[in-house]
Amino acid sequence: MQSVSPQLLAKRDCGENVSPRNISIGISGIGSPTNGLSEEDEFDLKMELAKTEDEIQTLRQVLLAKEKYAMDIRRQLGTGPFSEIKQNLSKGWQEVQTSNAYLTASATLEDISQSNVYKRTQESISNAGQMTSAALSTVGVAITRRLGDMRYPQLILLHTLLVQNIRNTFSFHDRLTR
């Protein structure tokens, strides 16, 4: 047999004083409906359990109210989940920028950008880009013109037929052969 205080079992985590009264709990009684407790001790434990469960429910309600209050304060301050993420990302980026690896890589890239090979490559790519832009512009103008011509397909067909008729006429051939 082991002697344990029910108040110690129920209140030890709450920091409350424990009464000196002990209840005998039989090890062999575990699993039985009463666990070797007297009716008075069982009633006291049930009352303590009900009281503890009520306190737990009250604490959950208080916690929920506090969370809602904190959410309202964040909303009034203009900080929401996205602003918190933004602040975390900003802080992380600042930490990256001050890290040794970033500073070393940044210095290396600065050295590369000052080299003659980099400058010549940059000029070549810039020239190629300008030439490509000019070529694409010319192609764009040609396509635009062609699409403009296609707006009036009857006129193009009429023009083609007229040109063919003129070429097939006797007087036109005579003029070309003279």
Side-chain angles (χ1 to χ4, degrees), residues 75-93:
R75 185 184 45 80
Q76 289 174 355
L77 291 172
T79 59
F82 291 116
S83 64
E84 290 176 12
I85 291 171
K86 181 181 172 185
Q87 288 173 351
N88 289 340
L89 288 175
S90 178
K91 182 180 177 184
W93 179 242

Side-chain angles (χ1 to χ4, degrees), residues 24-152:
S24 296
I25 301 175
I27 301 274
S28 62
I30 294 177
S32 66
T34 60
N35 287 333
L37 299 174
S38 68
E39 286 182 19
E40 182 184 342
D41 291 338
E42 187 177 340
F43 178 77
D44 288 343
L45 284 175
K46 287 181 180 181
M47 293 302 291
E48 281 297 318
L49 178 62
K51 183 179 173 184
T52 303
E53 288 175 345
D54 286 344
E55 289 174 358
I56 290 170
Q57 185 62 30
T58 303
L59 290 173
R60 284 183 180 148
Q61 291 172 351
V62 169
L63 179 62
L64 182 63
K66 294 270 184 186
E67 287 175 343
K68 287 180 181 178
Y69 181 66
M71 189 170 47
D72 287 341
I73 291 173
R74 283 189 200 102
R75 185 184 45 80
Q76 289 174 355
L77 291 172
T79 59
F82 291 116
S83 64
E84 290 176 12
I85 291 171
K86 181 181 172 185
Q87 288 173 351
N88 289 340
L89 288 175
S90 178
K91 182 180 177 184
W93 179 242
Q94 287 174 351
E95 290 174 0
V96 166
Q97 287 179 324
T98 58
S99 70
N100 287 334
Y102 180 84
L103 294 174
T104 303
S106 180
T108 303
L109 289 174
E110 183 66 29
D111 292 342
I112 290 171
S113 69
Q114 298 302 319
S115 72
N116 288 332
V117 172
Y118 176 80
K119 289 179 182 178
R120 285 185 296 200
T121 304
Q122 183 182 20
E123 289 173 8
S124 298
I125 291 173
S126 177
N127 289 338
Q130 290 172 356
M131 295 170 111
T132 303
S133 176
L136 289 175
S137 177
T138 304
V139 168
V141 168
I143 290 173
T144 303
R145 230 183 262 146
R146 184 67 180 148
L147 288 174
D149 291 344
M150 292 175 71
R151 285 185 190 164
Y152 306 105

